Amino acid sequence: MFIHRRDVQIQWGDCDPANIVYYPRYFAMFDDATSVMFEAAGFSKQDIVRRYGLVGIPMVDTRAKFYIPSTYGDWITIESRIESIKRSSFDVTHKVFKGEALAIEGFETRVLVGRDPADPDKLKSAPFPEEMRAKFLGE
């Protein structure tokens, strides 16, 4: 299974007046982590648009569990992986570590989408390419 890790330093603009990370900032970090994970696996946004005719990978569901807060200047590690893949949707899990401690678990469900051949002004789900499945799930 492909796992991507990246270290992130908490910035001043990530924090609320109490000097803890304002929770929506984590969802932005998770979105970035998913994009970076795809790129690290060899599938940049430009690549998936060109090679597979996709428009993007929009999120259709998200949630998180918060255990330990982070503050300005802290370093966190975001560990991201695709847990499961269906025809066009897939589930991503992000684990945020502060040192060795699990600070947050984030969950996303995303869908691969392309243009609808019957109506190019509309989007339509697209099947998950086999080579991407093999890379992320280690099949």
Side-chain angles (χ1 to χ4, degrees):
M1 177 174 287
F2 186 85
I3 299 172
H4 184 261
R5 291 175 187 86
R6 70 189 287 231
D7 294 327
V8 175
Q9 187 175 31
I10 302 302
Q11 300 300 308
W12 179 260
D14 294 325
C15 299
D16 64 15
N19 194 34
I20 59 173
V21 176
Y22 182 49
Y23 73 92
R25 291 294 306 136
Y26 285 116
F27 291 99
M29 291 178 204
F30 297 156
D31 187 56
D32 288 342
T34 298
S35 294
V36 171
M37 176 183 64
F38 267 78
E39 191 159 331
F43 307 106
S44 69
K45 175 142 178 136
Q46 296 84 358
D47 192 37
I48 65 172
V49 168
R50 266 193 319 271
R51 190 187 310 175
Y52 304 108
L54 299 173
V55 174
I57 52 172
M59 192 177 325
V60 296
D61 188 26
T62 187
R63 64 185 176 88
K65 294 179 182 180
F66 300 91
Y67 307 113
I68 301 170
S70 293
T71 60
Y72 172 67
D74 287 347
W75 281 93
I76 59 173
T77 300
I78 303 173
E79 180 183 285
S80 305
R81 76 173 119 221
I82 293 179
E83 295 289 338
S84 66
I85 299 172
K86 297 169 189 75
R87 187 190 82 77
S88 60
S89 67
F90 58 100
D91 295 315
V92 181
T93 299
H94 304 284
K95 291 186 179 180
V96 177
F97 294 92
K98 190 173 173 183
E100 298 295 316
L102 179 62
I104 304 163
E105 291 178 287
F107 308 92
E108 301 175 338
T109 299
R110 292 178 173 260
V111 178
L112 297 179
V113 297
R115 297 272 174 219
D116 185 339
D119 184 352
D121 290 334
K122 293 183 179 178
L123 299 178
K124 183 176 181 176
S125 66
F128 208 94
E130 285 305 316
E131 73 175 305
M132 290 172 67
R133 178 186 302 273
K135 178 69 175 189
F136 285 119
L137 298 182
E139 296 176 344

